[in-house]
Amino acid sequence: MVPFSILDLSLITRGGSVADALRNTCDLARAADGLGFHRYWLAEHHAMPGIASAATAVVIGQVAAATRRIRVGAGGIMLPNHSPLVVAEQFGTLETLFPGRIDLGLGRAPGADQRTARALRRDPDAPDRFAQDVVELLDYFEPLDETDTHRVRAIPGAGLRVPVWLLGSSLFSAVLAARLGLPYAFASHFAPAQMEDAITLYR
């Protein structure tokens, strides 16, 4: 059987509120869980009037609490907007609360316009450090070495098996995911013409 999954932006419908959108997300996730869907991912977007999933890790926690079996995660967290340590701690916390059910998808786009990106205190050079930030984040999930007292630790996070995916709408993340041995998801709704090239390159 082909495993089906859902990518949700927690859309705010015309005449509806943010609270309605978040309730709808939990209702849809419960329905997907009952129907046997494999994953339910939420995406990070900021300052967009029709999208309620800006605080993505918080919404993931609500969805995981409202469901029983389905994997829940980010499709994705825009890593240049965040410290890798903070992301590791957030998803380490989620994995601790909902063991074996949390996925972490990472992207390098802003998920926002330029003014909003500046309000997020996004470093303009952060996308250029995406590969290094991914490696740093992966390191925070490694088991603790009690003899290394100088290493920064993600607690919760260290030693947890949180699957990390790379997401992309270009060929960059396909190459990086292949090099790091990470699973890869292509945003075909953004760039359908590049999907086959990206998947071929990744494989």
Side-chain angles (χ1 to χ4, degrees):
M1 180 177 168
V2 176
F4 284 94
S5 301
I6 291 175
L7 173 63
D8 184 11
L9 303 183
S10 200
L11 296 176
I12 305 167
T13 58
R14 183 175 288 119
S17 66
V18 171
D20 293 332
L22 295 173
R23 278 193 294 270
N24 290 341
T25 283
C26 286
D27 288 345
L28 179 59
R30 277 189 288 265
D33 195 24
L35 289 168
F37 278 68
H38 186 55
R39 286 190 171 88
Y40 195 98
W41 280 5
L42 292 130
E44 176 186 349
H45 292 278
H46 297 279
M48 295 188 181
I51 295 176
S53 58
T56 316
V58 177
V59 182
I60 288 169
Q62 283 294 101
V63 169
T67 54
R68 292 186 299 155
R69 294 180 299 273
I70 196 167
R71 296 192 65 85
V72 185
I77 294 294
M78 299 300 107
L79 188 56
N81 292 340
H82 309 278
S83 148
L85 175 61
V86 170
V87 175
E89 290 172 339
Q90 289 175 346
F91 280 79
T93 300
L94 289 166
E95 176 64 21
T96 301
L97 292 169
F98 308 102
R101 294 182 55 210
I102 300 299
D103 295 326
L104 171 54
L106 301 172
R108 68 180 183 125
D113 59 49
Q114 290 303 312
R115 283 183 301 174
T116 304
R118 285 194 297 273
L120 287 165
R121 292 180 169 79
R122 189 174 196 259
D123 180 347
D125 297 325
D128 297 332
R129 295 195 305 272
F130 180 70
Q132 297 95 304
D133 284 350
V134 171
V135 171
E136 180 183 340
L137 194 155
L138 292 171
D139 188 58
Y140 289 130
F141 286 128
E142 289 296 314
L144 289 176
D145 179 356
E146 300 297 342
T147 65
D148 187 355
T149 57
H150 298 289
R151 179 179 169 192
V152 176
R153 303 173 177 190
I155 301 173
L160 296 180
R161 295 183 178 275
V162 179
V164 176
W165 292 66
L166 292 193
L167 315 178
S169 57
S170 68
L171 304 182
F172 175 89
S173 290
V175 173
L176 181 60
R179 190 187 322 148
L180 296 177
L182 297 176
Y184 174 66
F186 186 78
S188 58
H189 53 302
F190 287 149
Q194 292 197 69
M195 182 174 70
E196 289 189 13
D197 287 344
I199 292 172
T200 299
L201 191 58
Y202 171 69
R203 287 177 173 164

